[in-house]
Amino acid sequence: MRFQTITPEEFTDFASQSKYSNFMQSTERAILRRKMGYFAYLVGVKEGTKVIAAGLLVEKGHEAWLQNGP
């Protein structure tokens, strides 16, 4: 297993198959947060080439957080 940044396509594919996905954890939210001056990272855990966990990590100032989501 490997924790790493993932592509927007990988993130969207993973989120579209999760019953827990929502707007707070989406590529659109990452784009919005970047426009608001935040750093936004799409991160995931991969087993081989398969994403088995993913989240939108947001950072501003000295804080970083993951909101509800897949």
Side-chain angles (χ1 to χ4, degrees), residues 9-69:
E9 294 79 17
E10 289 174 313
F11 187 89
T12 300
D13 288 345
F14 178 81
S16 70
Q17 299 195 24
S18 173
K19 66 180 181 178
Y20 301 109
S21 72
N22 61 62
F23 177 72
M24 300 301 279
Q25 287 286 319
S26 65
T27 53
E28 293 84 358
R29 182 73 171 180
I31 293 166
L32 176 63
R33 285 297 194 171
R34 289 178 184 133
K35 287 179 181 179
M36 295 170 67
Y38 292 76
F39 292 98
Y41 310 95
L42 299 172
V43 296
V45 177
K46 291 176 107 178
E47 195 167 72
T49 59
K50 183 180 179 184
V51 177
I52 59 171
L56 168 58
L57 177 66
V58 179
E59 174 191 359
K60 189 160 190 176
H62 297 291
E63 295 181 1
W65 61 93
L66 288 167
Q67 296 176 331
N68 294 340

